[in-house]
Amino acid sequence: MVDWCAAIRLIVACSTAIQSAGEGTDAELETLLEFLGHEDVLVAYAAKEELRKVLIRGRIVTGNIIVKVLCAPLSTAWKRGVSGFRFQLLRQFVKMRDSGESEIDDSEDRGNEEEDNPAENSYVQELLKNLQQMETVVRSVFIPAGCQTMTAPHSVQCEALVFMSDFVKRLHDLDIAGRSQLELIELMMTLMNDVFVTMNYSSQPTFVSCAVLGLLGDFQELMKSWNHHTRADGENNPEVVYSKWLEWCLVWLLQSSCTSTALQFLNDEESLNTASHEAFVAKTSPYPFLQQWLLYLSRMGVAFIEISLTQKVSSDWEMLQVPGQTAVSWTQQKVPSRQQLFMVLAEQDDTMVEVLNGLTRMAVLVDGTDSILTSLFSSFIEHMTTEYDPDLLFADLVDTLGQDHLVLLDLLISNETQMLEYLMRYLRRLSTHWNTSQRKLQTEQRLEGVMSVLIRLRLEIDRLVAADLFPYSAGPLTRRLLAVEQLYEESDDEDAEQL
């Protein structure tokens, strides 16, 4: 066996030969790829880094060869954690357009990277041509093939899922042919049926479960984008395909142990009484998993109602088929309460705001539904309009932020959260349903606290705008805040007259 010093010298020599010669370096390339799976983690890491340098040098043909080799089915089992380096390298292929992702210290390498930017999409296109091989290699990480009996280490499983997520995100920016779209959907459905449904979410590390939910959430966003921007043709109706995907996702939520595990965590008082920042680093901590699960549920809820309404008004309407188990009352299923929601999400601002935005959007969509949709999903809508009432959710958020308008302002200014979109959506709904919302918040004795924060927020925004310190045009936001403030003052005047 070659010792690690000699192996690293050989790796560097092969990399230098490839970068110097370009073509006709198949032997050196095969050597680097062989060392990528070396049992010594330092040797495997060195091989990955040298392959990355080859990639940055801009040898497009060489890069495509690497993609083909990495996506080819493996002849050996995934036995070691170093196997994850293959997926790390694939992620760097996917991120080639982002110079920061592939930078190394050598300035010459950075120059070559910029020079080859026009061809950056060729790596992703090559992956699209090898979707069948990609499915085989990703599936083999979770399901042993042939006579193999060992699955890959959990770290490798996580790397495979994160690579798939990065690949899916990258496709948002590209014009993908309809055939490639269908092949990728088939790949995801295969993984859903063969891998994600059968996973034991209660026993595997939560970082693997988070990666599964992250991948499904990212693919959900991609499918939504395709549904909006892809024209139907004779062989491909994006709305039908999108509906079918949502059906698969609902089946997964009901049949896999993911939802039951999440509900078990939520109703485990001992685990939820542990501060999330203390438990976050543990691989069995429920908090990251629960945050991702709640985020995925909110995205699914919005997509589910949107596609149902879209199909309702289409000429060839066919209601989205939902498994019979959804008829069971949501309250009987112990869906998380508002208190549980904020207990889990409070320390993850971006996730918390996106979940609240999704729940509010669902309520807005439900406001416009007719009796058909309401009757079909009565238990779901009933829970949405009571436990997840947008007014009470916003009041809970205000309390979670300590009724501090400056914290709310920080979230508005940040480009890492959806707070602006969420606040605008809530203020619009609050204005439209002012009388109902006012009575509800007064009954809960929370109207004064909410309005105090909104008024102070508007005054602070006005001050920053006057000093030219607000980062974007605040006109639409301040107009919404003023409209709500005016409704509040008018209601106070009416109360005073009655007295």
Side-chain angles (χ1 to χ4, degrees), residues 269-282:
E269 295 183 2
E270 182 177 351
S271 65
L272 288 184
N273 285 335
T274 304
S276 61
H277 71 274
E278 295 177 358
F280 188 87
V281 295

Side-chain angles (χ1 to χ4, degrees), residues 2 29 82 163 169 202-203 214 218 253 282 284 299 309 315 325 408 418 424 449 457 492:
V2 182
L29 178 61
V82 295
F163 154 65
K169 291 176 185 176
S202 61
S203 63
D218 292 334
L253 282 171
T284 56
R299 289 176 174 176
L309 292 173
S315 58
Q325 294 95 320
L408 185 56
Q418 297 181 3
M424 289 291 288
L457 175 66
D492 277 350

Side-chain angles (χ1 to χ4, degrees), residues 230-284:
T230 304
R231 293 183 178 180
D233 54 37
E235 300 179 356
N236 180 23
N237 187 328
E239 185 173 304
V240 172
V241 175
Y242 185 46
S243 299
K244 183 60 66 175
W245 170 252
L246 290 180
E247 289 180 29
W248 278 72
C249 292
L250 288 171
V251 170
W252 171 73
L253 282 171
L254 292 166
Q255 293 185 355
S256 74
S257 62
C258 182
T259 297
S260 60
T261 301
L263 294 175
Q264 181 181 356
F265 280 142
L266 281 167
N267 293 285
D268 183 357
E269 295 183 2
E270 182 177 351
S271 65
L272 288 184
N273 285 335
T274 304
S276 61
H277 71 274
E278 295 177 358
F280 188 87
V281 295
K283 70 177 183 179
T284 56

